[in-house]
Amino acid sequence: MAARDLRLDTSYRQIMAMALPISLAMLVPQVNFITNNIFLGGLGERELASAGITGVYYLIFAVAGSGLNNGLQALIARRAGQNLHHEIGEVFFHGIWVALGFAFLGIAITTFAAPPLLNSMIRDPLIAEEVISFLRIRIWGLPLLYLYVMRNALLVGTNQTRLLIWGTLAEALTNIALDYALIYGHWGFPALGFNGAAYASIVAEGVGLVVIYVIIHINGIHRDFSLFENIKWRMDMARTIVVRSAPLMAQFILSIATWEYFYLLIEHHGSQALAISNTMRNIFGVVGIFAWAFAATTNTMVSNIIGQGREAEVLPLVRKIMWVSVGFSTIMIMLLNINPGSYLAIYGQGPQFVEAALPVLRIVSMALWMMAVGTVWLNAVTGTGNTVVNLVIEIITLVIYIIYVYVVLEYLNLSIVWGWGSEWVYWISMFSMSVIYMLSGRWRGKKI
């Protein structure tokens, strides 16, 4: 049987065919996160506040996996653009072992280094105790998560995004059911309170992992790309994956680590400010799904088109994806702002909470538009294969970001409305440098 042609075109139909399944796959876990916070909000304001710190902390390691995923995705997409089927399975196999190595490093850091650091930075001792206890459990889901995101690199890199939804749907349904059972003690399960969410998430990640690899097997993808067949360990292949992915991992880790720093500064403004900021993180997750989906599409399509030798079509392609991203994000932002009070009320914190959160939500809404543009251009840089440039852009942006949040929240002690203005600073800086690099043409001729 003839091998399937993996080369992509640059049409709007191709863009939508890739991005919409990714969006749906991303929506499911975001609904999952919101459900987590609704259940935890039912325990009280402190628990909702603590969930903000634990959520962003775990996100640091989750996005490290995304960085590895993006680097692997670009490598797979480049070989897909060249129709090198036999090399895709080899890249995937080595990516899994590299991912497991990084996962156990994350477990070691959380077990030994994180507790004293968090104790020194969190002023409320009850929140500190709750956060550390939760993270020591939650971090054991990291190997499952890393193996799970490797399927993203394979399915997105080979243009099979429609299959993404099944694993995420299984994970979300499992997590919602176990949140209800383990946080409050229903269906004969013990009432574990805040830590119940940690156990629920680990089991859910395991279920999602099993389902997606069953789907890969049923669809014969393991045969198409010779996954795990007659593959020997190659240090040069592992080194290539690390070299391409490490700058992206560092970029994402630095980005979310500074967001954790932001949340720790927010904690100094009280538990309500921290709880409000946790709901804003959920808004970024749900409303931003299209921005991130079109960003992932940009990464894959740019790499695939370059692999075909069609470099002249890259910039027109990125502009196409950017405008579609802005259009979809605009719809989501409008839906959010039609009746934002109803959304904020689902966390069960009362009218004063809703009133305090509304001006923050307006600032975040504008930032989401900026993200819809900025993240597409940043992932265009990723797709060119020059991930060191991604890291440099991120470092410069984060220095500006850290200075802003420290001055506004700690030195001037302004409200969190001004603090969330940091998202404007972040995305404007990110967008500007990414566009300058892409327009410079310095990425042309880059081989990966």
Side-chain angles (χ1 to χ4, degrees):
M1 185 174 66
R4 187 165 60 90
D5 191 346
L6 299 175
R7 293 172 295 183
L8 304 177
D9 59 62
T10 60
S11 66
Y12 283 108
R13 182 177 180 179
Q14 181 76 78
I15 293 168
M16 299 299 289
M18 287 203 69
L20 291 183
I22 297 174
S23 300
L24 189 56
M26 288 181 171
L27 176 62
V28 174
Q30 294 304 329
V31 171
N32 183 15
F33 293 150
I34 289 180
T35 306
N36 262 357
N37 283 290
I38 292 172
F39 282 130
L40 292 174
L43 297 175
E45 184 178 83
R46 191 188 75 231
E47 283 77 9
L48 185 59
S50 296
I53 295 176
T54 58
V56 176
Y57 179 91
Y58 191 72
L59 193 58
I60 293 172
F61 294 98
V63 297
S66 296
L68 179 59
N69 166 64
N70 283 9
L72 198 67
Q73 181 181 312
L75 289 167
I76 289 174
R78 185 65 56 89
R79 283 151 181 78
Q82 296 165 338
N83 262 337
L84 298 175
H85 290 67
H86 63 284
E87 290 191 17
I88 291 174
E90 190 172 32
V91 172
F92 183 72
F93 169 81
H94 287 81
I96 283 181
W97 287 105
V98 171
L100 286 174
F102 280 115
F104 285 103
L105 177 62
I107 291 173
I109 291 171
T110 302
T111 302
F112 301 108
L117 181 63
L118 290 169
N119 268 321
S120 68
M121 298 190 71
I122 299 174
R123 290 180 179 175
D124 187 327
L126 291 177
I127 290 180
E129 181 182 356
E130 199 165 54
V131 164
I132 292 168
S133 174
F134 181 95
L135 289 175
R136 279 179 164 157
I137 299 167
R138 182 71 184 94
I139 199 63
W140 285 96
L142 204 57
L144 300 175
L145 176 64
Y146 278 17
L147 291 177
Y148 184 49
V149 299
M150 288 301 98
R151 70 63 161 110
N152 270 354
L154 178 65
L155 296 179
V156 176
T158 58
N159 190 25
Q160 300 185 82
T161 54
R162 69 189 186 283
L163 300 177
L164 293 174
I165 183 61
W166 300 110
T168 50
L169 184 61
E171 178 187 357
L173 293 176
T174 302
N175 194 75
I176 291 170
L178 289 179
D179 269 348
Y180 178 75
L182 294 175
I183 292 174
Y184 297 116
H186 294 294
W187 304 332
F189 286 89
L192 301 177
F194 192 71
N195 286 345
Y199 290 110
S201 296
I202 293 173
V203 175
E205 284 168 348
V207 170
L209 174 66
V210 170
V211 168
I212 198 59
Y213 281 102
V214 168
I215 293 294
I216 286 174
H217 185 82
I218 289 174
N219 283 271
I221 297 171
H222 64 296
R223 291 191 301 271
D224 292 344
F225 305 116
S226 303
L227 302 185
F228 312 115
E229 294 179 11
N230 301 319
I231 295 178
K232 296 181 180 179
W233 177 258
R234 285 177 50 195
M235 184 58 69
D236 62 319
M237 178 65 73
R239 188 181 299 111
T240 297
I241 293 170
V242 172
V243 167
R244 295 302 170 196
S245 300
L248 291 173
M249 295 176 71
Q251 170 198 335
F252 290 171
I253 289 170
L254 288 172
S255 177
I256 303 302
T258 55
W259 215 17
E260 180 79 334
Y261 175 69
F262 168 76
Y263 271 79
L264 292 170
L265 293 184
I266 290 286
E267 190 263 341
H268 299 170
H269 289 247
S271 61
Q272 185 187 74
L274 188 55
I276 290 171
S277 294
N278 190 22
T279 65
M280 296 304 117
R281 180 176 68 88
N282 292 333
I283 288 173
F284 260 100
V286 174
V287 181
I289 58 170
F290 286 110
W292 289 113
F294 284 110
T297 300
T298 305
N299 179 1
T300 295
M301 292 190 71
V302 166
S303 189
N304 190 291
I305 294 301
I306 293 174
Q308 296 179 45
R310 297 158 60 189
E311 291 185 342
E313 298 179 45
V314 167
L315 291 178
L317 170 64
V318 176
R319 292 188 183 100
K320 277 185 181 180
I321 299 174
M322 177 190 72
W323 287 117
V324 179
S325 174
V326 169
F328 274 86
S329 294
T330 298
I331 294 170
M332 296 291 287
I333 292 165
M334 289 175 63
L335 291 173
L336 174 66
N337 282 274
I338 288 173
N339 189 7
S342 297
Y343 165 75
L344 293 168
I346 66 175
Y347 294 94
Q349 301 303 305
Q352 288 184 336
F353 177 89
V354 173
E355 183 180 354
L358 278 173
V360 184
L361 185 142
R362 305 300 187 194
I363 294 293
V364 166
S365 296
M366 289 298 298
L368 287 164
W369 262 310
M370 299 174 189
M371 183 175 76
V373 175
T375 190
V376 166
W377 283 93
L378 181 66
N379 276 266
V381 178
T382 307
T384 67
N386 204 342
T387 52
V388 174
V389 173
N390 286 81
L391 181 57
V392 171
I393 291 172
E394 188 74 45
I395 289 173
I396 294 172
T397 299
L398 292 179
V399 169
I400 298 169
Y401 176 90
I402 289 172
I403 292 171
Y404 177 90
V405 296
Y406 176 80
V407 170
V408 167
L409 292 173
E410 199 77 358
Y411 184 74
L412 297 178
N413 200 32
L414 298 179
S415 73
I416 62 169
V417 176
W418 284 93
W420 275 95
S422 59
E423 292 300 316
W424 294 20
V425 173
Y426 181 88
W427 288 112
I428 289 172
S429 174
M430 185 78 70
F431 165 72
S432 302
M433 286 184 283
S434 298
V435 168
I436 289 170
Y437 175 75
M438 291 303 297
L439 294 181
S440 74
R442 294 178 182 174
W443 48 271
R444 295 180 187 274
K446 180 74 176 178
K447 297 185 182 297
I448 63 173

